[in-house]
């Protein structure tokens, strides 16, 4: 039996992964999971010795497979990010490009309500170097005030604007969200075979 655990690079990943909507999605595809996400408090903490420690916490709660969700940030490529982490066989590394906030940009439905702009659309959310700053700038432009922090943004997107990883994954230019959902489906299929 596959039981999934999650390690997030930071508080935003933890908020997204612990959201009731995402956890309901996991239930709907038959994924058994540890409902407490480990927050690594920054990508600098996603190093082999820390990953082992975080993984032991999740394994003690029954996790047999662990997904690590991190940002590409300034790394040159996904391969470098993964090699820095040095995953074990039971890890799957998901690298959001450039940062996880690009997934917010990709969920055009949630962004429309967040910005109060029914015409919002974005061509390539993962090409934006600093998606949080882009969101802040759009909010100032559309509403006249920004957003204080990434954590406040994540909480608002989840709690007030119904952010959905599934909708972000459907955006034609949000490959990392699509890859993430693909891995969840792959694990769901493995679980249904056991």
């Amino acid at each position: 039996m596959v039981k999934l655990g999650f390690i997030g690079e930071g508080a935003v990943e933890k908020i997204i992964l612990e959201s009731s909507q995402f956890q309901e999605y996991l239930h709907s595809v038959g994924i058994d999971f540890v409902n407490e996400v480990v927050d690594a408090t920054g990508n600098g903490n996603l190093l082999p010795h820390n990953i082992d420690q975080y993984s032991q916490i999740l394994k003690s709660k029954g996790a047999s497979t662990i997904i690590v969700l991190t940002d590409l940030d300034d790394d040159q490529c996904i391969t470098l990010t993964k090699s820095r982490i040095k995953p074990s066989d039971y890890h799957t590394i998901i690298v959001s490009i450039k940062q996880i906030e690009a997934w917010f940009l990709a969920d055009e439905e949630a962004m429309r309500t967040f910005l109060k702009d029914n015409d919002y659309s974005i061509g390539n959310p993962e090409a934006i170097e600093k998606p949080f700053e882009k969101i802040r700038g759009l909010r100032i432009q559309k509403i006249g005030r920004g957003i204080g922090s990434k954590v406040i943004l994540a909480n608002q997107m989840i709690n007030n604007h119904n952010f959905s990883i599934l909708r972000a994954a459907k955006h034609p230019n949000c490959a990392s969200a699509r890859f993430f959902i693909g891995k969840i489906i792959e694990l769901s299929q493995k679980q249904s075979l056991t």
Side-chain angles (χ1 to χ4, degrees):
M1 170 87 114
V2 175
K3 186 167 187 177
L4 190 54
F6 292 98
I7 300 170
E9 174 181 313
V12 172
E13 288 82 359
K14 182 175 174 68
I15 290 165
I16 292 169
L17 296 172
E18 287 184 348
S19 71
S20 59
Q21 185 186 51
F22 180 66
Q23 294 199 357
E24 286 167 13
Y25 168 70
L26 292 177
H27 280 297
S28 76
V29 295
I31 293 279
D32 189 19
F33 60 95
V34 176
N35 64 0
E36 182 182 338
V37 174
V38 174
D39 177 354
T41 65
N43 74 2
N45 292 323
L46 291 175
L47 298 170
H49 64 283
N50 291 334
I51 290 290
D52 288 342
Q53 181 182 358
Y54 302 146
S55 297
Q56 289 310 312
I57 292 167
L58 292 168
K59 285 179 152 192
S60 73
K61 295 178 180 186
S64 57
T65 301
I66 297 171
I67 290 181
V68 179
L69 181 56
T70 187
D71 293 337
L72 182 64
D73 287 322
D74 295 325
D75 285 348
Q76 294 297 314
C77 69
I78 291 170
T79 304
L80 285 174
T81 302
K82 288 181 177 182
S83 67
R84 174 179 45 83
I85 294 170
K86 294 188 172 77
S88 297
D89 291 343
Y90 55 85
H91 289 118
T92 298
I93 309 296
I94 306 293
V95 181
S96 60
I97 302 174
K98 293 281 186 173
Q99 297 167 338
I100 194 73
E101 292 81 15
W103 292 10
F104 295 146
L105 287 166
D107 181 354
E108 293 178 344
E109 184 178 316
M111 285 297 296
R112 285 180 186 131
T113 66
F114 178 72
L115 297 173
K116 297 179 181 170
D117 177 3
N118 291 330
D119 296 324
Y120 169 83
S121 69
I122 191 157
N124 195 347
E126 292 190 312
I128 295 169
E129 286 293 319
K130 297 187 183 295
F132 174 71
E133 294 304 324
K134 175 73 171 177
I135 293 167
R136 182 186 288 182
L138 286 169
R139 179 109 163 151
I140 290 169
Q141 178 186 0
K142 299 291 181 181
I143 297 180
R145 65 179 187 274
I147 190 88
S149 72
K150 292 179 178 185
V151 169
I152 292 169
L153 171 65
N155 280 314
Q156 283 197 12
M157 291 299 284
I158 296 293
N159 299 321
N160 302 340
H161 303 286
N162 199 29
F163 167 74
S164 166
I165 297 173
L166 292 171
R167 283 196 304 268
K170 289 179 183 173
H171 191 289
N173 294 312
C174 195
S176 62
R178 191 166 41 259
F179 182 76
F180 175 71
I181 293 299
K183 285 296 179 183
I184 297 292
I185 291 167
E186 188 179 298
L187 288 169
S188 171
Q189 291 168 345
K190 276 186 191 174
Q191 186 154 315
S192 68
L193 295 173
T194 58

